[in-house]
Amino acid sequence: MKRLLLTLLGALAFATPAFADTPWTLLKTYPHDPAAFTEGLFFHDGALYESTGLEGQSDIRKVRLKDGKVIQRRVLEPRYFGEGIVNWGDRLISLTWRHGQGFVWKLADFAPVGDFRYAGEGWGLTQDGRHIIQSDGSAQLRFLDPESLAEQRRITVTWNGRAVERLNELEWVRGEIWANIWYETKIARIDPATGAVIDWIDVARLMKAAGVRDSEAVANGIAYDAAKDRVFITGKYWPKLFEIRVGK
């Protein structure tokens, strides 16, 4: 019985917690395209940049924050399932899911600049000012050279010493990597040096406020406005995008 109790306690200690310690406050709600299967999101120079997935429906778009209007778009070839995006200088870098194919675009007008290859799947992207950081659906994060886009190293993300799988959309926030977990409403705050989860942010209330019922309408989209310390949250097929203030 004691061994069983210890096993159960160990399992509970590993499980993503039912609560999160990091407090947050909802500040504003904005419109968001309810047809967008959101895979990547970032904020730059007053606008949101978003990528959407699904074969034949994938695109990269520049979105006006106040009303969710798409003001610029680049449609991917129908065979590609679009995934994460990130800006680097005057470029935008994007992934595809299972083709091992990445693309480089001009940030200004989404004109193609080049492409690159990677092993495994492509999920989320962010950057820390020195590296491009990529998720692949596992518990690992890859650090890429921003110029060559070659992999330099990896870290394994853990919670209480156990691997955290299904890392999805990524964002660099206040020196931490924040990651959506596929099919979860919790965002992991990750120490980029060790991969350890510092804490969790539970956005279940936002998913409820979005009013979505589709099983695929998961939380997946984090964008950070460093200049104003604003965090934006959305998800796949969500008709709303939320601005929240997150405690430190």
Side-chain angles (χ1 to χ4, degrees):
M1 178 62 74
K2 183 177 179 181
R3 180 175 296 176
L4 176 60
L5 180 60
L6 288 174
T7 300
L8 290 173
L9 288 174
L12 289 172
F14 161 63
T16 303
F19 61 91
D21 291 333
T22 303
W24 58 267
T25 304
L26 176 61
L27 298 181
K28 292 182 182 178
T29 301
Y30 303 90
H32 180 253
D33 180 2
F37 198 75
T38 305
E39 296 290 357
L41 192 71
F42 67 84
F43 185 87
H44 177 72
D45 282 351
L48 289 164
Y49 290 77
E50 183 174 13
S51 64
T52 68
L54 302 176
E55 288 91 348
Q57 301 179 44
S58 297
D59 66 11
I60 297 166
R61 50 180 73 176
K62 183 178 181 180
V63 180
R64 194 160 60 196
L65 174 62
K66 67 178 182 179
D67 58 7
K69 181 179 180 180
V70 178
I71 55 180
Q72 186 171 297
R73 173 184 273 124
R74 180 81 188 199
V75 178
L76 272 62
E77 291 182 29
R79 62 192 171 118
Y80 290 123
F81 189 118
E83 283 283 350
I85 55 171
V86 68
N87 60 307
W88 184 266
D90 62 354
R91 296 173 294 158
L92 184 148
I93 298 160
S94 71
L95 300 176
T96 59
W97 183 23
R98 288 178 168 170
H99 281 83
Q101 181 69 64
F103 297 101
V104 182
W105 317 88
K106 288 184 180 179
L107 183 61
D109 60 6
F110 297 165
V113 175
D115 55 47
F116 63 102
R117 302 287 299 176
Y118 49 87
E121 297 183 357
W123 286 44
L125 286 176
T126 191
Q127 54 115 326
D128 63 2
R130 295 175 299 162
H131 311 91
I132 303 296
I133 305 168
Q134 175 187 346
S135 63
D136 59 14
S138 71
Q140 293 193 323
L141 294 176
R142 311 177 188 190
F143 287 72
L144 314 180
D145 179 277
E147 299 302 328
S148 67
L149 298 171
E151 183 178 334
Q152 295 183 315
R153 64 185 177 91
R154 297 189 183 198
I155 59 172
T156 299
V157 176
T158 60
W159 169 246
N160 289 345
R162 302 286 294 276
V164 177
E165 303 284 346
R166 295 176 284 119
L167 300 173
N168 205 350
E169 217 273 309
L170 305 175
E171 185 70 6
W172 182 260
V173 183
R174 305 175 191 153
E176 302 170 357
I177 304 168
W178 289 14
N180 285 117
I181 313 298
W182 191 32
Y183 284 117
E184 297 283 346
T185 58
K186 298 168 184 68
I187 294 170
R189 294 174 49 203
I190 302 162
D191 182 336
T194 66
V197 173
I198 300 163
D199 204 356
W200 301 88
I201 303 167
D202 193 341
V203 296
R205 285 194 288 128
L206 296 182
M207 188 169 182
K208 184 176 181 181
V212 290
R213 303 201 188 290
D214 191 313
S215 62
E216 295 300 317
V218 297
N220 198 49
I222 312 165
Y224 182 57
D225 175 9
K228 296 182 179 179
D229 194 29
R230 298 188 294 175
V231 176
F232 302 101
I233 302 292
T234 193
K236 303 179 183 189
Y237 298 143
W238 286 22
K240 299 176 182 179
L241 178 138
F242 303 95
E243 178 185 337
I244 64 174
R245 177 181 292 119
V246 180
K248 298 181 180 181

